[in-house]
Amino acid sequence: MDSYCVLLTQGSVTFPANFMLVGAMNPCPCGYYGDPFRQCTCPLSLVSRYQKRISGPFIDRVDIFVEVPHIDYEKLTDDRLGEKSDKVQTRVEAARSVQRARFQGTKLAANAEMTPTEVREFCQVEESAQSLLKAAMKQLYLSARAFHRILKLARTIADLDGATNIEPSHLAEAVQYRPRGFA
Ligand SMILES: [Zn+2]
């Protein structure tokens, strides 16, 4: 998002803005809906009402949804560490550099900034991934906006993987970041 428009009673004002929004929410008022270890005590109608407080058009504009399950004691006390940050940084910098080269001569700097025109140009999916995309569109009842978000995300996952083409695995990963399982 590179501009933020405020509608006033007498006209509108557009401010420059470029931000990343990161948010978290509980699945239900008690917090245990879908938890494998504790029973949610909320009536289903309440869970549904609670989740609908985040509007569809808002959800449509979010790129990545990740469910964060309950973490048990063994995992919290496990001494094994995840991937080191400097390794991740190298991968991200390489993907950023691919994107700078891709958008050379344009005003764009990253995949997230692509409009549908650039998505058509740079996010062609391999033939073998076409049917997956078609099935996801139908099953998740995706809007045109969500469709473009999936393709942009798949392009970024492919860049992080050092791949020239968007392969089925990149697309499948992007699809699984759409929200599902809402009550
Ligand atoms: Zn609950």
Side-chain angles (χ1 to χ4, degrees):
M1 210 178 280
D2 54 14
S3 65
Y4 179 61
C5 184
V6 179
L7 294 171
L8 305 166
T9 47
Q10 294 173 329
S12 67
V13 181
T14 302
F15 296 102
N18 191 357
F19 61 91
M20 181 186 287
L21 173 74
V22 180
M25 69 179 280
N26 274 337
C28 66
C30 85
Y32 292 106
Y33 180 76
D35 190 297
F37 303 105
R38 269 184 83 162
Q39 185 76 37
C40 163
T41 54
C42 314
L44 205 57
S45 60
L46 186 61
V47 176
S48 175
R49 206 162 57 235
Y50 182 82
Q51 293 182 351
K52 283 192 178 113
R53 281 160 69 181
I54 308 290
S55 78
F58 181 84
I59 285 174
D60 230 21
R61 287 170 168 82
V62 177
D63 288 319
I64 298 177
F65 287 83
V66 182
E67 243 179 72
V68 187
H70 171 88
I71 301 174
D72 52 32
Y73 178 81
E74 284 72 24
K75 271 201 181 150
L76 282 173
T77 52
D78 193 336
D79 286 336
R80 282 173 300 173
L81 296 170
E83 195 178 11
K84 287 213 178 291
S85 296
D86 53 351
K87 254 184 115 179
V88 177
Q89 184 186 0
T90 307
R91 206 164 59 230
V92 170
E93 279 173 355
R96 281 281 182 176
S97 140
V98 167
Q99 290 171 48
R100 272 194 298 276
R102 174 175 301 135
F103 299 125
Q104 211 169 23
T106 74
K107 284 183 180 169
L108 310 183
N111 291 339
E113 297 164 10
M114 285 189 278
T115 65
T117 312
E118 283 103 26
V119 169
R120 258 195 300 278
E121 186 177 348
F122 299 115
C123 302
Q124 291 293 332
V125 294
E126 279 187 357
E127 184 94 15
S128 50
Q130 297 274 0
S131 56
L132 176 66
L133 188 57
K134 203 169 163 190
M137 281 293 290
K138 272 191 180 168
Q139 276 169 23
L140 299 175
Y141 199 62
L142 297 176
S143 67
R145 187 181 288 119
F147 172 75
H148 287 123
R149 283 191 186 281
I150 285 182
L151 286 174
K152 287 195 266 188
L153 191 55
R155 181 64 269 169
T156 302
I157 293 166
D159 290 345
L160 284 165
D161 198 24
T164 310
N165 297 327
I166 298 177
E167 296 163 15
S169 63
H170 305 135
L171 194 66
E173 187 179 341
V175 167
Q176 56 126 19
Y177 289 127
R178 289 318 299 164
R180 66 191 69 210
F182 268 44

